[in-house]
C-alpha cells in the first residue's frame, strides 16, 4: 500500500473513500480552482501527508503548478455546512477533505484537512471549524474560520498557519 506520514502508516483507500466522499448535492461557488497567497503561492496538499483515512493533512504553500493537490472547491450549500451562517467549505479536489482550523491541536499543526463534518469516519454533520466567512462573488478574501472569528489563516513558513486578523494584505487569498 501507499505509505502515509501519520497514524496508520499505510493509506487505506476504502477508509479514505468512506471518510471523504464527494458531496454531489453541494452548491459550488468555485470548482477545481487554485487558492493563492498574496505572494502568489498556491495552497497545496499531499494526499500521503496525513493518516490512513487521508485526514490530518497539513496545507503547504508551494509554487503553483496546476497539480491536483492545488485544486479546491468552495461549497456554499452542502450537507456538511450549517445553513444561514454566511460560511463556505473549502474542499480539496484531491481528497474531498475540508480545510479545518482546530485550535486544540499543537500551534504549528492547527490548519489541516479533515473529513467534512468533523468526524474522522465521515459521519459528521457540520462543524464551524470547517466553515469560513464567504461573500458570494468575491475572489479575494481572508480565510477566517467561523469557530475563531478574529483568527485568519496566514502563510507561516511554507504552510498555512494562523494569526490575529489585521486586514494586512498578507492575510488575503485569491481564488481562481
Amino acid at each position: 500500500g501507499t505509505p502515509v506520514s501519520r497514524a496508520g502508516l499505510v493509506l487505506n483507500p476504502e477508509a479514505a473513500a468512506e471518510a471523504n466522499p464527494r458531496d454531489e448535492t453541494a452548491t459550488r461557488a468555485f470548482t477545481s480552482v487554485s487558492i493563492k497567497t498574496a505572494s502568489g503561492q498556491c495552497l497545496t496538499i499531499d494526499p500521503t501527508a496525513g493518516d490512513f483515512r487521508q485526514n490530518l493533512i497539513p496545507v503547504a504553500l508551494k509554487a503553483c503548478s496546476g497539480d491536483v493537490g492545488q485544486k479546491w472547491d468552495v461549497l456554499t450549500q452542502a450537507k456538511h455546512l450549517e445553513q444561514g451562517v454566511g460560511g463556505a467549505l473549502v474542499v480539496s479536489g484531491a481528497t474531498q477533505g475540508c480545510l479545518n482550523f482546530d485550535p486544540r491541536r499543537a500551534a504549528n499543526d492547527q490548519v489541516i484537512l479533515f473529513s467534512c463534518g468533523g468526524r474522522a469516519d465521515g459521519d459528521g454533520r457540520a462543524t464551524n471549524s470547517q466553515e469560513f466567512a464567504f461573500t458570494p462573488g468575491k475572489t479575494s478574501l481572508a480565510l477566517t474560520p467561523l469557530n475563531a472569528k478574529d483568527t485568519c489563516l496566514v502563510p507561516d513558513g511554507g504552510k498555512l498557519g494562523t494569526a490575529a486578523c489585521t486586514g494586512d494584505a498578507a492575510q488575503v487569498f485569491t481564488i481562481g
Side-chain angles (χ1 to χ4, degrees), residues 6-7 49-51 54-58 105 109 112-115:
R6 298 199 183 204
D51 70 4
Q54 289 183 319
N55 282 327
L56 306 173
I57 297 173
R105 297 181 63 77
D109 194 30
I112 55 173
L113 283 192
F114 203 80
S115 294

Side-chain angles (χ1 to χ4, degrees), residues 143-164:
L143 290 173
T144 306
L146 296 187
N147 66 333
K149 291 184 167 76
D150 295 325
T151 298
C152 283
L153 303 191
V154 297
D156 182 15
K159 63 182 181 54
L160 272 185
T162 62

Side-chain angles (χ1 to χ4, degrees), residues 17 24 37 40 42 47 63 123 134:
E24 298 296 348
T37 64
C42 280
D123 280 345
F134 182 74

